[in-house]
Amino acid sequence: MVTNLETSQQIDDAGIDLETKTLLEMYWQMVRARRLDERTWVLHRQGKIAFHISGIGHEGVQVGAAMALRRGYDYAHLYYRDLAFALVLGYTPREWMLSVFGKEGEPTSGARQMPSHWSNKKQGIMPASSPVATQVPQAAGMALASKLRGEDRVTLVSLGEGSTSEGDFYEGLNWAGVHKLPMICLVENNIYAISVPMHLQMAVPNVADRAPMFGIEGVVVDGNDVLASYRAIKEALERARSGGGPTLVEAKTYRPVPHSSDDDDRTYRSRDEVEEWKKRDAIKRFETYLLDKGILSGDMIEEIEGRVRLEVDEAQAAAEAAPYPPAENALFPVYAPADEA
Amino acid sequence: MPEVTLIEALRQAMDEELERDDRVFITGEDVGQRGGVFRATVGLFEKYGAERVIDSPLAELSIVAVGIGAALAGMRPICEIQFADYIFPAFNQIVNEAALVYYRTNGEYNVPMVIRAPYGGGIGGGLYHSQSVEAFFAHAPGLKIVIPSNPYDAKGLLKAAVRDPNPVMVFEPKKGYRLIRGEVPDHEYTVPIGLSEVTRKGDDLTVYAYGMMHYYTLQAAEMVAQQDGIQCEVVDIRTLVPLDKETVLNSFKKTGKALIVYEDNRFLGYGAELAAILSDEAFEYMDGPIRRLAGPDVPGVPFAHTMQDFFMPSPEKIAHAIRELAAY
Ligand SMILES: Cc1ncc(C[n+]2csc(CCOP(=O)(O)OP(=O)(O)O)c2C)c(N)n1
Ligand SMILES: [Mg+2]
C-alpha cells in the first residue's frame, strides 16, 4: 500500500483570516466541482459521453489555490485535473457539459480538444494541451513577461507529480530560479501517474525536495486541507509579488477514482488503500470544520446542494440540446490573420 | 491456426522474444503492473518480473535514451511510447542519436532497439491521442519503420524488429488493436522487414495503404468490386522504410493507376514520397493522375465526432476516390 504522507482529519486554519462569506464560497465551489464531476461519471456510465478525466479528490488544493489568486489578473496555466480550479476562475458547468458532449459553442476549443483542456483569456487561463509538463517552461515565459513589464502579476502553473519527471519541468524551474521569476509551480501529488506509483517516479520522498537544485523555495502542504492550501499559495504569491522569486508548492492529495474513464485502477491498487484515503476527503473535512465553527448548518448544506444540483441539471440539459459542431469546422482556424499580430 | 486480435499478436511477440533472449527487456509508462494502458504487455510483468518489464518514469526522452544506452551496452530494449503523440520529447534522441550512431561511428556501434507506439485517429482522442507521426521519422535515414495492418504481420514484424541490428520503430494502428482479428500460427515465425505485400489482386488500379487505412482499403475494394465491378489491386506497404520499391512499382506497372491512402495530413505525408517514386520511376506506365486520399492539412484530428469523421478517411471515402480514379 502506498502511503507516503500523513494527512490528518483536521483543518489547519492558523493565520487564516477569511470572512464567513469567503469560507462559504470555498465550500460551495468544492461541492459544485464534486457534483458536476460525479454527474459526468454518470453520463459516461450511461453511454452518453465517451470520456471523462476527473478531478475528484483534488478539490481542496484547487479551490484553496484558486481563491488565493487575484482572479482574472494572475495567470493560471492548468492541467486536466483542475476542474475545480477552473470553476473558481470563472469556467461554468454549462461550458463543461458542452465540452464533455463535444457540442457546438464549447468555448475553450470549439470542441476540437478533449474535455479538461482549459483556456480563457479573460479569466487569465492559459491554453492547455495534453502532453504533460509542457506548461511549466511556458509558465516561466509568462512570468518573465510580467517581470519585463514591471507588473506584479504572478503565474501559477500546475501539474501532477508524475509529470515532474519530464525534462520540461526541470528546464522551466531552472529559468524561474535563474531569473527569480514571479511564478508558482503547484504539483498536485496524488501519488500515482496512471498506474505508476510515486516511488518509481522519483527517489526523493517529496517533489518539493527538488526546490534547492533550482535555488527556489519548496513547500509541502496537505492538499486535502483547503485552508492550508490557500495559505501556502497566498504566501508563495506574496513572495512572488514582492520580487522574492518562485515557489515550488507540493500538495499531497489522492485521486480516489480511476485515472480516467479508460482506466481500471483495480489493476494497480487495493480497495483498502482507496477507502483509507476517502476518510481524508477534503470536502468532508472542511464541512466538519465549518459545522464545528457554526459557520455552516444542515439547512445550509441542503440549500447549497439543491442550488448545485439545479445548476448541474441545467448545464446538462443545455448541452444535450445543443447541436454538434458542423463537420467543416475541422478546417479552421489554422492561421491567425495579420490583424491579430 | 488460432484467431487473435492485433494487440494480442503484439503481446505474444514480446512474450516470445523475452523468453527467447535474456537481453530483451521492455520499458515505458504503465507497461508493468498495469500491462500498458492498451494492455499490450499484460501478464509480462508477472511472468518476467520488474527487472525486465520496467515501469519508466513519465519521461519519453529518457525512455528512448535509456533504450539507446542499453542497446549500445549489449541489450535489446523494447521501448513503448504510450501514444505516438507523446514521442516528441524523444525526437532528438531518435533522429539525432539512434538514427545516426551507426553512420557516425563508421559502423563500429549499432543500436538494436525497438520503439513501439500506438498511432492514428478515429477513436475520439482529439488533437493529442490521434496523431500519425510516421512521416517525421521516415525522413530520417538510419531508422526502420514498420506499420502492421493485421495480427499475423504485427507479430512477425515485431519479432523481426527485436532481432534487427538497427533501431526499428513499430507504429501500431490503435483503432485496430481489438477490431482487427486474424489467424496467427502456433509455430515460430517472423515477417521480414523491408517487404510490402499485395493483399488483393486486381487490374483496374492499385491502392497503396498501411495500418488502419489498409484495413479500410480492403473493405472499400470489396465495395467497389460488388457495386461497380471495379477490381482493385491492394498493396499493404507494411515496411515504410526501407521501402520495397519492387512490389510497389510492379503493381503500378500492371494497373497504371495509383491511389495512395494515409490518415496523416496530406502535405508531405508518407504518401507524397510514394507518389514521387511512382511518377519518377514508372512514368511510362502512368495511365491517370497519381491520387492521394489523406487527412486535411489542419493541426490535428478534432474531438467532436462530426469534425473527427470529417478528418478521417473511411471505407466510403476510399471507395469514392477509387471510383473517381477508375473513371479517369
Ligand atoms: C508527454 C506525455 N506522455 C504521456 C502522456 C499520457 N499521460 C496522460 S496523464 C499521465 C499520467 C500523469 O500523472 P501525474 O502527472 O501524476 O498526474 P495525475 O494524472 O496523477 O494528476 C500520462 C502518462 C501525456 N499526456 N503526455
Ligand atoms: Mg499523479
Side-chain angles (χ1 to χ4, degrees):
Chain A
M1 168 155 151
V2 182
T3 48
N4 77 326
L5 59 144
E6 295 307 324
T7 51
S8 71
Q9 313 285 359
Q10 307 301 314
I11 291 284
D12 175 8
D13 63 1
I16 297 275
D17 182 23
L18 289 171
E19 288 179 29
T20 301
K21 191 171 122 257
T22 311
L23 293 171
L24 287 174
E25 184 189 346
M26 283 178 161
Y27 175 72
W28 164 67
Q29 289 285 14
M30 290 165 76
V31 171
R32 186 174 177 237
R34 175 70 57 91
R35 300 294 171 250
L36 183 62
D37 203 314
E38 288 169 343
R39 177 69 59 85
T40 312
W41 281 106
V42 171
L43 292 173
H44 182 263
R45 274 195 293 277
Q46 291 173 339
K48 289 187 174 177
I49 62 165
F51 180 80
H52 177 40
I53 193 155
S54 172
I56 288 182
H58 289 224
E59 295 93 344
V61 51
Q62 289 177 20
V63 170
M67 296 279 294
L69 292 185
R70 263 203 241 162
R71 289 180 249 179
Y73 178 69
D74 292 327
Y75 292 143
H77 209 353
L78 306 178
Y79 88 120
Y80 50 82
R81 288 267 172 246
D82 287 328
L83 174 59
F85 206 132
L87 286 169
V88 175
L89 296 185
Y91 189 65
T92 68
R94 199 186 175 106
E95 292 171 339
W96 167 259
M97 283 292 176
L98 287 170
S99 174
V100 296
F101 279 95
K103 291 289 183 80
E104 185 163 26
E106 190 285 308
T108 65
S109 75
R112 289 176 180 78
Q113 293 232 70
M114 296 178 89
S116 307
H117 290 69
W118 331 105
S119 178
N120 188 313
K121 218 175 206 177
K122 275 209 198 79
Q123 293 162 2
I125 303 179
M126 289 294 174
S129 71
S130 307
V132 298
T134 51
Q135 67 271 33
V136 181
Q138 292 173 9
M142 291 155 197
L144 178 68
S146 298
K147 188 182 168 192
L148 293 177
R149 289 194 297 249
E151 306 161 350
D152 66 349
R153 192 193 311 266
V154 178
T155 299
L156 182 147
V157 61
S158 64
L159 72 165
E161 88 294 341
S163 302
T164 69
S165 293
E166 296 278 2
D168 304 54
F169 171 79
Y170 298 87
E171 297 188 28
L173 288 188
N174 190 45
W175 262 87
V178 168
H179 293 280
K180 273 203 152 196
L181 298 177
M183 170 171 155
I184 299 170
C185 181
L186 172 62
V187 176
E188 298 179 28
N189 182 355
N190 58 18
I191 56 179
Y192 287 94
I194 309 185
S195 72
V196 180
M198 187 182 161
H199 70 270
L200 291 178
Q201 208 69 244
M202 63 196 83
V204 287
N206 303 298
V207 175
D209 292 349
R210 292 157 165 172
M213 67 190 258
F214 306 114
I216 69 175
E217 286 297 317
V219 175
V220 178
V221 66
D222 178 350
N224 285 8
D225 179 341
V226 60
L227 295 185
S229 300
Y230 173 86
R231 187 177 49 236
I233 297 296
K234 198 84 189 162
E235 286 168 6
L237 282 165
E238 277 157 21
R239 181 176 304 118
R241 283 200 221 289
S242 61
T247 309
L248 172 58
V249 180
E250 172 184 13
K252 305 281 195 185
T253 185
Y254 196 75
R255 149 174 78 69
V257 292
H259 170 76
S260 76
S261 54
D262 290 338
D263 183 31
D264 176 5
D265 64 327
R266 283 159 204 276
T267 57
Y268 55 82
R269 61 183 184 183
S270 73
R271 292 308 91 188
D272 286 352
E273 179 188 308
V274 177
E275 288 311 313
E276 195 50 44
W277 270 97
K278 281 185 180 166
K279 292 181 193 154
R280 307 167 190 176
D281 181 69
I283 298 182
K284 265 275 156 269
R285 269 167 73 181
F286 194 43
E287 191 175 288
T288 307
Y289 169 85
L290 293 174
L291 286 168
D292 286 352
K293 293 262 167 196
I295 295 169
L296 192 65
S297 67
D299 285 351
M300 289 165 77
I301 294 176
E302 225 170 273
E303 186 276 326
I304 290 169
E305 291 284 0
R307 187 150 45 96
V308 165
R309 194 175 321 114
L310 197 66
E311 194 184 15
V312 173
D313 285 346
E314 282 174 2
Q316 180 186 333
E320 286 190 293
Y324 289 102
E328 305 75 39
N329 281 13
L331 290 175
F332 58 84
V334 179
Y335 296 103
D339 61 8
E340 287 190 25
Chain B
M1 287 199 292
E3 200 184 78
V4 300
T5 59
L6 195 147
I7 194 161
E8 168 60 12
L10 292 164
R11 197 201 62 78
Q12 288 179 7
M14 287 186 273
D15 189 359
E16 291 177 17
E17 292 306 292
L18 282 163
E19 181 87 55
R20 182 187 61 80
D21 186 343
D22 285 345
R23 298 172 304 171
V24 175
F25 72 93
I26 294 175
T27 190
E29 295 153 13
D30 303 282
V31 298
Q33 195 167 349
R34 178 88 183 95
V37 295
F38 290 100
R39 323 289 283 149
T41 54
V42 83
L44 301 180
F45 178 81
E46 289 75 10
K47 189 165 172 189
Y48 298 99
E51 302 226 313
R52 295 187 69 201
V53 184
I54 305 170
D55 270 324
S56 73
L58 206 184
E60 292 75 14
L61 182 157
S62 55
I63 292 171
V64 170
V66 166
I68 292 172
L72 289 171
M75 303 299 281
R76 294 288 180 274
I78 302 175
C79 301
E80 177 179 304
I81 301 293
Q82 198 161 81
F83 285 84
D85 314 58
Y86 303 135
I87 203 167
F88 299 109
F91 198 72
N92 188 41
Q93 288 288 340
I94 299 170
V95 304
N96 268 337
E97 299 297 330
L100 258 68
V101 165
Y102 192 63
Y103 191 74
R104 79 181 185 218
T105 63
N106 198 24
E108 185 177 14
Y109 278 105
N110 59 322
V111 183
M113 73 183 294
V114 176
I115 300 170
R116 298 179 39 240
Y119 83 97
I123 54 136
L127 307 180
Y128 297 104
H129 300 84
S130 305
Q131 295 175 21
S132 297
V133 304
E134 64 274 14
F136 292 111
F137 299 100
H139 186 64
L143 304 172
K144 293 187 178 181
I145 300 177
V146 301
I147 301 187
S149 70
N150 60 70
Y152 181 91
D153 285 352
K155 183 171 179 181
L157 283 169
L158 180 50
K159 284 168 67 92
V162 173
R163 300 174 194 193
D164 199 280
N166 297 285
V168 182
M169 306 187 78
V170 183
F171 293 121
E172 304 164 359
K174 61 176 169 295
K175 189 179 168 74
Y177 267 162
R178 291 188 164 73
L179 185 66
I180 304 178
R181 306 178 67 89
E183 291 186 339
V184 166
D186 289 321
H187 61 80
E188 158 75 27
Y189 75 99
T190 59
V191 171
I193 293 172
L195 293 182
S196 297
E197 190 186 23
V198 176
T199 49
R200 190 181 195 283
K201 292 267 182 211
D203 291 320
D204 295 333
L205 57 87
T206 304
V207 189
Y208 298 94
Y210 49 85
M212 199 61 207
M213 292 304 113
H214 176 265
Y215 182 76
Y216 285 165
T217 294
L218 285 181
Q219 293 178 3
E222 270 322 298
M223 279 157 68
V224 296
Q226 282 171 21
Q227 295 166 15
D228 310 82
I230 301 169
Q231 291 304 331
C232 296
E233 182 135 311
V234 177
V235 175
D236 184 357
I237 298 294
R238 295 198 295 185
T239 295
L240 281 69
V241 183
L243 177 63
D244 177 4
K245 275 196 195 176
E246 194 180 316
T247 302
V248 166
L249 288 167
N250 281 347
S251 180
F252 187 68
K253 287 175 184 170
K254 186 171 91 174
T255 65
K257 287 181 176 175
L259 172 67
I260 304 159
V261 186
Y262 54 107
E263 58 174 289
D264 193 2
N265 304 118
R266 179 187 176 86
F267 189 87
L268 279 182
Y270 185 76
E273 183 63 28
L274 284 183
I277 289 170
L278 293 176
S279 68
D280 187 15
E281 300 188 29
F283 182 72
E284 54 272 35
Y285 298 89
M286 206 186 291
D287 198 22
I290 296 170
R291 285 267 160 85
R292 287 179 288 153
L293 176 65
D297 290 317
V298 300
V301 184
F303 172 67
H305 68 83
T306 42
M307 290 190 279
Q308 171 182 280
D309 295 348
F310 180 88
F311 185 107
M312 294 298 297
S314 62
E316 293 71 27
K317 289 184 196 174
I318 298 168
H320 180 72
I322 290 171
R323 289 188 192 105
E324 276 195 354
L325 184 58
Y328 186 88

